[in-house]
Amino acid sequence: MTSIRPLARRVPLVAATAACALALAACGSSDSGSHSGDGSPAKPASSPSARVPSGGHNAADVAFAKGMIPHHRQAVEMAGLAATRASSPRVKEFAAQIKKAQAPEIRTLSGWLAAWHEPVPAEMPGMDHSAHSGMPGMKGMEEMAALKKKSGKEFDRSFLEMMVGHHRGAVKMAGTEQDKGAYGRAKTLAADIIRTQSVEIARMNKLLGKG
């Protein structure tokens, strides 16, 4: 009987000692990721992604989205005129394709800006894009108003000539994004714009008799 009592006292003591050791080990392992050996906060490991702003984008991506939205809006407006003013079925079909392609891209670009907590460019009243007139390929109010007054073959030629210049501007903007952007999806969209609009430029020049 005398040998049982010391053993009973040692069992909880051993258990408590083991629990304390486990607790100390856990504390040591959790602190090792946030402190250096001298007790000061440890610096996070550097990586290429750590140098990229939140969301994996940079200022060039934001500028691309903010610029391409009004640029696409104007192209959609120009294309919308063709339904009632163009005489060539091929011009009407081409204009419808532009609207179909660029309207969803506007929504995509707007979604990126919202996710990045950046303001989406406001839509200008009517055909007023004067705030963005400095962008490559953008047309002024006078050019847009003149196009709106035309119809038939005169409209067809003016529309195609203006859209060629507009597309060239978009290709230039997309090239800047590819060179300076960081966001993968934006760079992919830029590549798509360069590819598709370059093909469309060639098609429009052919319709104009220049191809």
Side-chain angles (χ1 to χ4, degrees):
M1 296 293 291
T2 56
S3 61
I4 295 176
R5 289 178 183 174
L7 179 60
R9 287 195 298 269
R10 286 197 299 271
V11 170
L13 179 61
V14 171
T17 303
C20 183
L22 288 172
L24 288 172
C27 290
S29 63
S30 63
D31 289 344
S32 62
S34 60
H35 290 80
S36 61
D38 60 4
S40 60
K43 294 180 180 179
S46 60
S47 65
S49 61
R51 295 190 294 270
V52 178
S54 176
H57 68 283
N58 63 13
D61 298 314
V62 174
F64 171 68
K66 286 186 175 181
M68 198 58 73
I69 288 172
H71 205 275
H72 273 15
R73 283 174 180 162
Q74 188 175 67
V76 170
E77 286 181 6
M78 291 168 64
L81 297 174
T84 56
R85 291 168 174 78
S87 62
S88 169
R90 296 177 69 184
V91 171
K92 289 184 177 182
E93 180 183 359
F94 182 73
Q97 290 174 355
I98 291 175
K99 288 182 66 176
K100 185 178 179 180
Q102 297 196 19
E105 290 179 357
I106 292 172
R107 292 193 292 270
T108 297
L109 293 160
S110 299
W112 292 345
L113 289 175
W116 297 337
H117 305 289
E118 296 284 349
V120 177
E123 293 196 48
M124 297 293 102
M127 292 189 169
D128 182 11
H129 293 277
S130 55
H132 310 288
S133 58
M135 290 182 193
M138 286 292 284
K139 307 304 176 185
M141 283 189 65
E142 292 183 2
E143 290 176 285
M144 293 294 290
L147 180 65
K148 193 174 182 180
K149 293 177 182 178
K150 295 178 180 180
S151 61
K153 292 183 178 180
E154 186 183 17
F155 174 88
D156 294 344
R157 175 161 292 275
S158 294
F159 170 80
L160 292 171
E161 289 175 344
M162 288 174 66
M163 194 62 80
V164 165
H166 203 271
H167 271 30
R168 285 175 177 159
V171 168
K172 184 176 181 179
M173 293 165 66
T176 300
E177 165 61 18
Q178 284 208 307
D179 290 340
K180 299 181 179 180
Y183 187 52
R185 291 179 63 192
K187 291 168 76 72
T188 298
L189 177 58
D192 289 343
I193 289 172
I194 292 171
R195 183 180 64 255
T196 58
Q197 297 204 17
S198 294
V199 171
E200 290 174 353
I201 288 170
R203 286 179 58 197
M204 288 187 286
N205 279 328
K206 189 173 182 179
L207 289 173
L208 287 166
K210 299 178 181 180

